[in-house]
Amino acid sequence: MGEWAHPDDDTSIIGPCGVWHQRYGIKCGIIMVTRGEGGGNAIGQELGPDLGLRRENEDRVAHYRSGTVDIFNLDRVDFFYNQSAPLTQSFWGHEETLRRITRIIRMTQPDVYIGFTPTLGAGHGNHQQAGRFIWEGVLAAADPHMFPEQLTGPNALSTWQVKKVFSGGSTAGTGGTTTAANCTTGFVPTPGTNLDTVAGVWTGFDSPYLWPAGNLQGKPAGTPKIWQQVADEGRLAYPTQSRVMYQGSSNPACPRFGMTESFVPFQPNLRPDGSPNPPAGSDDALLSGATRPDPGGLPLGTLEYLTFSRFYNVASTPFQATLHLKSPQGKMPGGQVALTVPSGWTVDGPKTVGTISDKAETTVTFTVTPAADAGVNQNHRISALFSSGTRTGYTDRVVRIVTPVEGRFQRWGNWAEYDRWLSETAPQAARLGRSAAIQRIGVGGTQQVPVVVHNWSATPQRGQVSLTLPANLTADAASKDYGPLGPGAETTVTFTLTDTDTSLPANQQVSVPITTTYSSPAGAGSETLALSIVPTTAIPSVATGPVVDGVASGEEYPGPRLDIGRIWQGASGCTGTADCGVSGTSDPDSSYATVSRSDDALYFFIHVRDDYQSYAATPAECVGHWQADSVEILLDPRGTASQDLKDTANTFKLGVFPFTNDPQNTNGNGANAPCWERDADNHQGYSTGPLANTVSDAPNAPGVQVASTARWVASNSTTVDHAYTGGGYDLEVKIPMADLPAAVDPAHLGLNITPYDNDNTAAAGTTTLRHIDMSTRLGWSAFGSVQSDPYRWGQAIVPGYTPPAGRPVTAPPPNVSNPNLNGATSPQTIWQSARNGVPISGRVPAPADHRIRISSPALTSTSATFDITASGPGTARVFLWTGDVGAIPVYQTSCSLAADPPPDYGLTPCAVSDGGIPPWSPDMSGHVVKQVTVDVHAGLQRVSIPLDPGAPSPERALVSFETPRDEVQAFDVPLGR
């Protein structure tokens, strides 16, 4: 089972699952937390639930050929890009989501679980939380105290123990091959760095899918595609996400996965004595001990794993290691267990193990003492080998050695919350590492640097904490004393840092080493604080508000010019000064902005250097501004969004398109005039035109005014000159501070301005620009992913400003505008649930006393009919369907359907111009013949659905039923004349 946050996150398993399914009969499934409704749509106008339907199908297309037909969508909202797991929890509903995951695990009983890391290294907060749910779901599914209601009643489930977990593991190492089967043979994880067992699978095996005649790649017709070809085609089967049809030829590969937890014996890459272990290189090594017998010979299903009395340990201080064993069935003969520890460490044993039961775990405990010179601030492997006659079972686990005293920068925001999750919820994930030390400081500003000193040792300690400062940073003291500090105690030492810069340095990221000495035994430990230096400014007041006309005068904008020409992403797409300009504020080729305040509004004049007009969005496409030339203005009114664990959900972010494809002025701003929207903030959605009143619960920016000097060239064809007149464009924008989600703190306003520069996005061999993300991203404060990091935006003060009395200082709950899709309205989800019996979206199944039964289906040329017998009221949704359900083609091709039948059809090009998009809405490419909603009442009722003249004849009725308590049923009802 894999688990991910969004469709297209999961493509790493396409090839491996195809090989495992074909060669070993293994079935893969995917838990998909959202359908990606909150993302952009590069090929159509579907948003929200309509986009969810389309993206769900794309994901099914990508995986269907690998035998992965079970994709369990949890119906959680996909709200916007962020880097906060806590924010994600609040949107998804942590407890309900975990309940659904637990039900799916208990019903499907996966042996292997794979997906994102739970660490902040996953980036997107949705990715982090999906990774967390792997660790939490494994624990919950095996715990009878978690969601006990699932374990009782007529539909009672059983607890389930996942056997292996691959979430956050490392694959760093050398050796192995990509040219032959058993491709991980000879692979050695990086010594001293990677302690994870790494399993791989060769994707050079022939798949059952054949190259069609006339294929663009020139492959002989009728010869098999290798699984890597299938994987690469699937990886790009997401056109709504700016992917394009794969037209290349793939070479075999060896995808590898790092194991982070195992409850069963497995094969390490190296034996305890350091010699190579060939079974670990097998293409089914990831499965061994879990779905396939371990080569050591213990019966399939044998549990064997290690636990420790402490994860964080100190050199020379003993701790306990316990081996757990349990038989899969009946009794199993005992034997001996020996531990292998790092060089210089000591352990008692070997030890004898008596008969092993299937009723309860047998445990054996050892005392382990780390060496006096054990490497600190790193993990160390301890392995156990159980021997019973000729049978053996290997397992290992890591502990971490820390200095007797640690001085760690005091975590805050998402970093502090992640460390709490490790200690309180999933301590076994501590092997992946704690959070990094991160903070910011404004140019010329000050910042507190608290250092938490913790005594891990068994003796009192004292010492000093000191900072090593780079140029242009000073502190109130070079070092400060602490102690005496008792065993297990901690204290905080705080420094005040000052930045002496007068302008933003070229390198906005500096390192500040923190050193902590201790007395027994005398020594020192350290960590490094990553300090972001962000720009600062003061926003002047003007007596009369600027005229929003796209022209700036000195009287209107007396403040400093802000350099918005620093590139923070997509530098390879910048072709030179004429394209992206230069960083600076005086050069005529630079991009810059100035800001003023008048009364209760902010005014922005923004000059963007650019040589090529991107795709012109229609008013309906005035969302997802990163897919066209645009500028985003980002405001954190209190300057505390990151501290409050809200990322941009407490902010105001306005994306402005400088021109549109709107010659009839349907948006109301003038012919082809600018449009604007709010994205990834406290109230995202359309902000201008008729759609703002129908889609986004507007007004979300009622007082905003925009003027642009850009004039659209009136064509999205690259045969037309797309040069900007004057070498770029100017924007002038008014933002009333009343539109912001909270009152502005005039001493701590967070501010950034980020231009997005898209150029020629036409596909190879075509001349039509696409609404697709190929942007170079620039900004005043330029860091990777800065759009989601308010703490790394610039800092502004607003002298002389006082917010109006009564304006709230706390932002309201965020409004994401586009809701998520309810799985009961997805024909593909209904079909899957009816087939495999797992309730729609992992929800509670309708109970015996509140279910429906469908009988007597009939089909004529004019109608489809059937009976519903219900024991209680509810809502039935009926989709009359024709054709395949599992995968609907996402690309058009000139290859012959006869030569390339489904499900391969539509994924191979026979001409360079292939890759067009089949019609989708409103009927899912013609598969939905009719859909109706039926109010169900207790008793018998006849449902008759008229068929439109000329419509295709439906082959089945896909029916979902929801009770008033949101319990669900699903039916796949064959229809026939």
Side-chain angles (χ1 to χ4, degrees):
M1 181 72 77
E3 183 193 305
W4 287 276
H6 317 97
D8 80 6
D9 291 342
D10 53 2
T11 57
S12 62
I13 67 167
I14 295 174
C17 282
V19 173
W20 293 326
H21 182 66
Q22 181 186 42
R23 296 181 66 82
Y24 309 119
I26 299 301
K27 184 178 181 181
C28 288
I30 294 169
I31 294 176
M32 189 56 64
V33 186
T34 81
R35 289 181 177 81
E37 297 96 333
N41 185 349
I43 58 170
Q45 297 184 2
E46 297 88 1
L47 295 173
D50 291 336
L51 178 57
L53 272 181
R54 192 163 192 171
R55 293 206 65 196
E56 176 186 345
N57 177 68
E58 288 176 346
D59 208 33
R60 293 184 183 277
V61 169
H63 292 272
Y64 195 75
R65 291 178 295 169
S66 299
T68 306
V69 293
D70 288 337
I71 299 181
F72 303 96
N73 290 280
L74 298 183
D75 293 355
R76 304 291 87 184
V77 65
D78 176 38
F79 50 102
F80 51 71
Y81 179 75
N82 65 91
Q83 296 198 73
S84 173
L87 178 64
T88 300
Q89 293 167 23
S90 67
F91 273 105
W92 284 357
H94 175 272
E95 194 73 359
E96 176 59 22
T97 304
L98 182 58
R99 185 188 310 274
R100 295 184 183 194
I101 289 170
T102 302
R103 180 181 295 280
I104 292 170
I105 293 174
R106 286 171 172 173
M107 290 193 74
T108 60
Q109 300 185 342
D111 290 308
V112 178
Y113 213 152
I114 191 169
F116 281 131
T117 177
T119 68
L120 281 79
H124 197 320
N126 290 184
H127 296 176
Q128 295 174 36
Q129 188 57 43
R132 290 191 189 189
F133 277 136
I134 292 175
W135 293 83
E136 295 180 38
V138 169
L139 291 171
D143 186 350
H145 299 100
M146 289 295 292
F147 311 117
E149 75 281 359
Q150 297 179 359
L151 307 175
T152 61
N155 297 313
L157 306 175
S158 300
T159 58
W160 180 253
Q161 179 64 68
V162 173
K163 309 305 188 300
K164 288 183 172 183
V165 179
F166 294 78
S167 167
S170 171
T171 59
T174 58
T177 183
T178 60
T179 60
N182 300 321
C183 60
T184 310
T185 301
F187 177 83
V188 178
T190 304
T193 300
N194 183 12
L195 301 183
D196 298 333
T197 291
V198 177
V201 56
W202 193 52
T203 52
F205 293 109
D206 288 343
S207 79
Y209 305 104
L210 307 179
W211 287 100
N215 65 84
L216 187 65
Q217 292 89 338
K219 301 291 186 179
T223 60
K225 296 179 178 179
I226 63 170
W227 275 111
Q228 188 59 45
Q229 181 74 30
V230 174
D232 288 336
E233 292 169 354
R235 177 175 50 84
L236 294 178
Y238 301 88
T240 62
Q241 288 301 101
S242 300
R243 310 295 194 269
V244 295
M245 184 187 220
Y246 184 62
Q247 297 191 352
S249 298
S250 299
N251 294 318
C254 185
R256 295 193 174 111
F257 306 89
M259 188 175 70
T260 44
E261 192 165 26
S262 179
F263 296 93
V264 294
F266 58 88
Q267 296 296 314
N269 299 106
L270 299 175
R271 297 188 179 99
D273 64 5
S275 63
N277 183 32
S282 171
D283 291 319
D284 66 347
L286 182 142
L287 311 171
S288 67
T291 63
R292 293 171 63 79
D294 180 70
L298 293 180
L300 182 63
T302 300
L303 295 186
E304 180 185 14
Y305 62 98
L306 279 168
T307 59
F308 303 118
S309 58
R310 292 190 305 273
F311 177 74
Y312 298 104
N313 289 281
V314 175
S316 301
T317 301
F319 64 93
Q320 280 66 53
T322 300
L323 181 69
H324 302 249
L325 292 162
K326 188 177 181 181
S327 172
Q329 55 185 4
K331 293 183 177 181
M332 188 169 71
Q336 279 203 326
V337 178
L339 297 193
T340 297
V341 297
S343 177
W345 295 33
T346 62
V347 60
D348 56 342
K351 297 191 176 183
T352 300
V353 181
T355 301
I356 299 170
S357 170
D358 63 345
K359 304 301 181 185
E361 290 183 349
T362 297
T363 59
V364 184
T365 298
F366 299 81
T367 298
V368 178
T369 303
D373 61 351
V376 298
N377 297 327
Q378 63 187 67
N379 292 347
H380 297 263
R381 179 192 288 117
I382 295 173
S383 66
L385 186 66
F386 169 66
S387 301
S388 177
T390 60
R391 298 177 174 182
T392 61
Y394 172 95
T395 190
D396 65 36
R397 206 175 183 97
V398 301
V399 294
R400 188 168 185 84
I401 299 298
V402 295
T403 53
V405 176
E406 278 190 311
R408 300 180 75 232
F409 171 70
Q410 186 176 65
R411 274 35 173 191
W412 60 283
N414 293 328
W415 300 272
E417 191 276 340
Y418 172 72
D419 285 353
R420 284 195 300 272
W421 177 78
L422 278 182
S423 62
E424 298 172 6
T425 304
Q428 70 276 31
R431 69 177 292 150
L432 303 176
R434 291 173 284 182
S435 66
I438 291 175
Q439 187 52 284
R440 58 91 186 271
I441 190 171
V443 170
T446 61
Q447 183 61 263
Q448 299 298 303
V449 177
V451 179
V452 178
V453 182
H454 183 93
N455 183 3
W456 291 100
S457 75
T459 60
Q461 300 278 2
R462 65 174 66 241
Q464 288 187 329
V465 181
S466 60
L467 306 182
T468 302
L469 298 176
N472 299 326
L473 284 177
T474 63
D476 58 336
S479 61
K480 296 188 178 184
D481 297 335
Y482 75 89
L485 190 64
E490 64 184 30
T491 189
T492 302
V493 176
T494 301
F495 296 84
T496 300
L497 243 59
T498 300
D499 179 68
T500 60
D501 285 311
T502 57
S503 60
L504 191 65
N507 182 11
Q508 285 186 247
Q509 189 79 33
V510 297
S511 298
V512 180
I514 301 171
T515 302
T516 303
T517 64
Y518 45 87
S519 55
S520 181
S526 66
E527 80 162 356
T528 299
L529 170 65
L531 189 66
S532 300
I533 301 175
V534 302
T536 58
T537 193
I539 299 175
S541 172
V542 293
T544 302
V547 177
V548 182
D549 56 4
V551 179
S553 69
E555 294 78 13
E556 291 179 321
Y557 295 96
R561 287 186 173 186
L562 310 181
D563 177 5
I564 60 173
R566 293 169 175 254
I567 297 175
W568 53 273
Q569 188 172 318
S572 62
C574 182
T575 59
T577 299
D579 184 9
C580 304
V582 296
S583 177
T585 57
S586 58
D587 191 298
D589 291 329
S590 65
S591 293
Y592 65 85
T594 58
V595 190
S596 294
R597 177 186 68 86
S598 180
D599 194 19
D600 196 40
L602 296 174
Y603 293 82
F604 299 80
F605 180 81
I606 300 167
H607 172 70
V608 176
R609 176 73 172 173
D610 194 7
D611 65 341
Y612 193 95
Q613 285 192 4
S614 74
Y615 174 90
T618 65
E621 295 167 329
C622 189
V623 289
H625 57 269
W626 54 90
Q627 296 182 126
D629 284 353
S630 64
V631 174
E632 186 172 47
I633 300 171
L634 309 91
L635 297 166
D636 179 3
R638 308 301 298 173
T640 60
S642 294
Q643 292 93 315
D644 295 338
L645 300 177
K646 292 296 186 181
D647 274 22
T648 59
N650 278 6
T651 72
F652 177 98
K653 297 176 63 187
L654 189 76
V656 180
F657 295 72
F659 55 86
T660 58
N661 179 358
D662 186 23
Q664 302 304 315
N665 188 23
T666 61
N667 217 31
N669 299 323
N672 301 330
C675 68
W676 51 98
E677 46 86 40
R678 289 178 61 179
D679 175 74
D681 71 350
N682 189 255
H683 189 173
Q684 70 174 26
Y686 295 102
S687 298
T688 179
L691 287 171
N693 296 313
T694 60
V695 177
S696 60
D697 298 327
N700 64 8
V704 167
Q705 299 176 25
V706 175
S708 173
T709 63
R711 297 293 177 264
W712 183 40
V713 299
S715 175
N716 280 321
S717 171
T718 59
T719 61
V720 172
D721 183 7
H722 274 255
Y724 278 103
T725 301
Y729 60 92
D730 296 330
L731 292 177
E732 193 166 14
V733 182
K734 174 187 177 182
I735 300 177
M737 284 187 271
D739 287 356
L740 275 55
V744 166
D745 179 346
H748 299 98
L749 174 65
L751 167 67
N752 210 0
I753 300 171
T754 56
Y756 291 75
D757 180 358
N758 282 265
D759 292 323
N760 186 344
T761 57
T766 68
T767 60
T768 301
L769 296 178
R770 296 172 296 168
H771 193 207
I772 186 173
D773 178 17
M774 294 174 61
S775 58
T776 299
R777 303 179 178 190
L778 307 95
W780 182 41
S781 188
F783 296 90
S785 294
V786 73
Q787 80 272 35
S788 66
D789 288 337
Y791 80 96
R792 294 203 290 190
W793 299 352
Q795 299 174 349
I797 61 173
V798 192
Y801 175 70
T802 300
R807 185 169 291 172
V809 296
T810 301
N815 182 337
V816 299
S817 301
N818 289 319
N820 51 298
L821 180 70
N822 173 2
T825 64
S826 165
Q828 291 176 310
T829 293
I830 296 168
W831 169 75
Q832 176 180 298
S833 178
R835 177 180 48 78
N836 64 24
V838 179
I840 292 170
S841 310
R843 292 157 63 180
V844 177
D849 61 351
H850 201 144
R851 298 175 69 84
I852 67 171
R853 181 168 54 87
I854 296 179
S855 59
S856 304
L859 178 68
T860 69
S861 60
T862 58
S863 67
T865 58
F866 53 84
D867 290 337
I868 293 180
T869 304
S871 50
T875 301
R877 293 179 174 86
V878 183
F879 298 85
L880 301 184
W881 188 276
T882 183
D884 293 336
V885 187
I888 303 168
V890 298
Y891 292 121
Q892 293 172 328
T893 178
S894 56
C895 296
S896 164
L897 178 63
D900 192 21
D904 198 57
Y905 181 76
L907 292 164
T908 307
C910 283
V912 70
S913 58
D914 285 354
I917 309 301
W920 174 261
S921 294
D923 54 9
M924 298 178 68
S925 293
H927 290 274
V928 177
V929 177
K930 198 73 173 284
Q931 63 184 82
V932 298
T933 299
V934 178
D935 291 327
V936 175
H937 56 75
L940 175 67
Q941 62 190 102
R942 186 73 170 167
V943 176
S944 181
I945 304 170
L947 301 178
D948 297 332
S953 179
E955 299 160 10
R956 54 179 18 116
L958 300 170
V959 184
S960 68
F961 175 66
E962 294 178 289
T963 75
R965 294 176 298 189
D966 287 331
E967 299 143 332
V968 289
Q969 276 181 278
F971 302 86
D972 180 0
V973 182
L975 298 173
R977 288 193 172 91

